[in-house]
Amino acid sequence: MAARLGLGLPQMRQYSLGSDVPDVARAAERTGYESLWVFERALFPEPATQGLYGMDGVPWPDEYRNVADPLVTLTLAAAATERAELGSSVLVAPLHVPFQLAKALASLDAASGGRVLAGLGTGWSLDEYAASSVRPFAERGKVLDEIIEVSRAVWGPDPVVYDGSLTKIASAVVGPKPVRPIPILLAASNQRALRRLVDHADGWLPAGFSVEQVAAQWRQLRELAEERGRTKPIRTVLRVNTALEAKPHEGADRRMFQGSVDQIVADLVPFTEMGMDEFLIDVQSGARDAEELKDVAAEVFEKARAAGV
């Protein structure tokens, strides 16, 4: 069975937010993409306290200088589409007040007819935490735990009652409610994060850095689920950040998902064989404008389906 295919929405500075997001969202749904996705980058520090993903000496990509708010972007896409799911990979959860985030996601789900996927993570940027987090970086895991608990409470039946470190709800009616319980998917790689996922989430959001790395983490996650008695399936959505090149890239140093569309699609095949449920294909950084993004997205979709992805 072919995996589901999702597309990253245009959030970067070469795009016109108000017109390009609805346009790309409509085109992606017509093409056959089953989900539309956003990511979160709150700011671009100059100079940066740390390298990309916390790795010393690795520069932040220039496209991170201007990234539109993820929930605003999803709202624009929701209004322009009818069927595609609307996901985040990921919202950096501790940059958000738990109650406000839960209510915003519930409202978006109600408005879209039950299409929201809440993809959450703890993030890595010390600069983003210094600017906008609700608690210090060292407490990011605890904040994510509370956001999950608050969200489940807010999305559930009234009266809502919650007593946590950041959130106090004595007893209240909170609406609108989501159309259905919003699936929570987590970015997780270490043991603690994987345990949180197994115990409290619906799915996993790995990133496609290497087949070996994802395979090892997927095996670890399934073993942990069995160990902890989880029987509910874990939905998997692999993020694919592409680096499209017009000419085929020669040499052994080619990174995964870098090169021609044919090469990028070929890189998807082993992940399909691994059993990933869905691929989130993000081509926005290499496209010059929305027209090119739509063309590349359509070509990727057609060739992925032809390859059995």
Side-chain angles (χ1 to χ4, degrees):
M1 182 178 177
R4 291 163 53 92
L5 296 179
L7 183 70
L9 289 167
Q11 295 175 259
M12 297 174 181
R13 64 180 175 185
Q14 68 266 45
Y15 303 105
S16 173
L17 185 63
S19 58
D20 287 349
V21 171
D23 183 32
V24 169
R26 281 190 293 266
E29 190 173 68
R30 286 195 301 268
T31 296
Y33 283 98
E34 296 177 81
S35 55
L36 303 166
W37 296 82
V38 292
F39 74 104
E40 182 162 35
R41 272 285 64 84
L43 47 73
F44 187 99
E46 286 188 321
T49 302
Q50 60 188 153
L52 184 69
Y53 306 133
M55 298 185 292
D56 290 341
V58 180
W60 289 45
D62 193 60
E63 53 262 30
Y64 283 179
R65 290 180 179 276
N66 188 327
V67 177
D69 179 86
L71 293 181
V72 170
T73 304
L74 280 184
T75 301
L76 290 166
T81 56
E82 297 178 353
R83 300 178 304 280
E85 290 186 297
L86 306 162
S88 54
S89 179
V90 294
L91 288 175
V92 184
L95 305 185
H96 299 264
V97 176
F99 179 83
Q100 292 176 343
L101 178 60
K103 179 151 185 174
L105 290 169
S107 298
L108 180 57
D109 193 73
S112 65
R115 294 189 280 144
V116 171
L117 302 171
L120 309 176
T122 55
W124 50 268
S125 171
L126 298 176
D127 296 285
E128 288 183 334
Y129 269 79
S132 61
S133 68
V134 296
R135 295 297 300 161
F137 185 77
E139 298 178 24
R140 61 196 183 280
K142 293 181 180 179
V143 176
L144 177 54
D145 288 337
E146 181 155 328
I147 284 175
I148 293 172
E149 291 176 356
V150 170
S151 296
R152 301 288 195 203
V154 166
W155 301 339
D158 294 321
V160 176
V161 177
Y162 186 82
D163 185 10
S165 299
L166 297 169
T167 310
K168 309 287 184 182
I169 308 172
S171 180
V173 174
V174 183
K177 299 293 185 184
V179 173
R180 86 290 192 237
I182 297 173
I184 292 177
L185 293 79
L186 299 180
S189 56
N190 63 47
Q191 188 70 15
R192 180 178 296 180
L194 292 173
R195 189 180 304 114
R196 176 187 293 115
L197 191 160
V198 167
D199 292 346
H200 302 296
D202 302 288
W204 181 42
L205 297 169
F209 293 119
S210 77
V211 175
E212 296 76 15
Q213 181 187 52
V214 175
Q217 291 175 348
W218 182 219
R219 184 169 54 252
Q220 183 182 6
L221 183 56
R222 287 179 293 172
E223 290 172 353
L224 185 61
E226 183 177 359
E227 174 187 314
R228 299 182 73 80
R230 175 172 176 144
T231 57
K232 181 181 178 182
I234 296 173
R235 179 173 178 175
T236 54
V237 182
L238 181 83
R239 169 172 272 280
V240 175
N241 295 321
T242 68
L244 189 68
E245 296 179 355
K247 295 181 180 180
H249 185 94
E250 301 294 337
D253 62 339
R254 184 181 74 86
R255 293 186 295 107
M256 182 155 286
F257 306 119
Q258 172 186 321
S260 67
V261 169
D262 288 331
Q263 289 173 318
I264 289 168
V265 169
D267 286 341
L268 291 171
V269 173
F271 292 102
T272 304
E273 296 168 349
M274 192 187 302
M276 295 287 103
D277 297 318
E278 184 168 354
F279 297 117
L280 183 197
I281 300 170
D282 199 324
V283 299
Q284 66 174 305
S285 64
R288 289 166 295 185
D289 53 31
E291 291 304 312
E292 185 175 21
L293 193 163
K294 290 187 293 182
D295 289 344
V296 173
E299 184 182 2
V300 170
F301 186 91
E302 179 182 355
K303 291 186 173 181
R305 287 301 183 232
V309 174

